[in-house]
Amino acid sequence: GAGVSQSPSNKVTEKGKDVELRCDPISGHTALYWYRQSLGQGLEFLIYFQGNSAPDKSGLPSDRFSAERTGGSVSTLTIQRTQQEDSAVYLCASSSGGAPPGELFFGEGSRLTVL
Amino acid sequence: KQEVTQIPAALSVPEGENLVLNCSFTDSAIYNLQWFRQDPGKGLTSLLLIQSSQREQTSGRLNASLDKSSGRSTLYIAASQPGDSATYLCAVRRVSDYKLSFGAGTTVTVRA
């Protein structure tokens, strides 16, 4: 696609429910990132994919968070048993791989509100 | 760990004035540095990417410089306009790492 696409753009859920957030990166981009931005806070790195592999998952806040990427393209971030502190904007970004790494492009984000 | 600092945190200027935004980072072993713009409720828009071998990049009214040895980058915006009002973030990617480390941003208000 022309840019990074994320869905849903907004999600309101009840505490304890599971949510899935989707990211469709720019075509041909092998690197994919998930970041989280809480209200008034900076960007918090969550996870990075190179192809379908996630070399580092240490940024995920807890074991309720998981992510996968299939076919080297679409990625899904899943949050199980959501808590109010999970409320934030979840941003996905992609770039070309290689060295040096390419420019990073972000989607518009998925705003999650946990009631 | 890469620490990225942006000063000032907020800036308000009259239309037409030039803007100077500063970014500093602690680990100079970087691949590149990228400047972004974020409008309220929106994602990040890439403005400029400077590779570690470069000293500056220009795009229209925007110019970004990089002094890797001193761990500093500066974003200049010439002849500011109200439409330039946004939060500007810098991010660096270390050679030893694959993820961008972000500063907290500078929120700019350009008064008409």
Side-chain angles (χ1 to χ4, degrees):
Chain A
V4 179
S5 178
Q6 292 188 247
S7 62
S9 55
N10 278 286
K11 176 72 175 180
V12 179
T13 190
E14 293 180 347
K15 178 181 173 181
K17 300 283 190 181
D18 297 351
V19 297
E20 284 190 351
L21 308 176
R22 176 189 166 105
C23 173
D24 197 346
I26 293 173
S27 179
H29 278 187
T30 58
L32 186 146
Y33 302 76
W34 284 97
Y35 283 83
R36 179 169 73 172
Q37 189 174 37
S38 302
L39 187 63
Q41 301 297 312
L43 273 81
E44 176 188 5
F45 168 81
L46 298 179
I47 191 169
Y48 155 76
F49 286 93
Q50 178 59 44
N52 292 333
S53 300
D56 186 352
K57 303 179 182 179
S58 62
L60 296 176
S62 74
D63 58 8
R64 296 186 294 105
F65 288 72
S66 63
E68 65 174 11
R69 187 179 185 194
T70 56
S73 181
V74 172
S75 176
T76 303
L77 177 68
T78 301
I79 309 173
Q80 295 179 311
R81 305 181 302 281
T82 52
Q83 304 294 312
Q84 288 183 332
E85 62 262 29
D86 299 334
S87 296
V89 177
Y90 290 81
L91 293 163
C92 176
S94 70
S95 72
S96 59
E103 190 173 0
L104 202 64
F105 295 92
F106 279 82
E108 289 293 310
S110 291
R111 181 177 299 277
L112 175 66
T113 303
V114 182
L115 301 177
Chain B
K1 182 182 177 183
Q2 178 72 278
E3 301 286 345
V4 183
T5 304
Q6 291 189 246
I7 295 173
L11 186 61
S12 179
V13 299
E15 183 176 4
E17 192 164 300
N18 296 332
L19 290 164
V20 181
L21 309 179
N22 297 298
C23 172
S24 62
F25 47 95
T26 53
D27 186 347
S28 62
I30 64 170
Y31 265 130
N32 52 43
L33 182 146
Q34 196 166 350
W35 282 94
F36 295 89
R37 167 187 173 137
Q38 186 174 33
D39 294 288
K42 299 291 187 180
L44 278 68
T45 300
S46 178
L47 297 174
L48 290 167
L49 172 72
I50 310 177
Q51 300 293 353
S52 62
S53 58
Q54 298 175 314
R55 295 300 298 266
E56 66 176 340
Q57 276 283 11
T58 298
S59 176
R61 294 184 294 112
L62 275 61
N63 174 275
S65 65
L66 174 64
D67 185 342
K68 194 175 66 166
S69 60
S70 66
R72 294 181 181 182
S73 177
T74 302
L75 178 66
Y76 301 89
I77 303 178
S80 61
Q81 304 168 358
D84 295 329
S85 298
T87 297
Y88 292 82
L89 299 110
C90 73
V92 295
R93 190 175 311 198
R94 291 187 302 180
V95 171
S96 61
D97 212 316
Y98 38 78
K99 60 194 178 195
L100 264 64
S101 297
F102 282 84
T106 294
T107 299
V108 171
T109 302
V110 180
R111 308 185 302 272

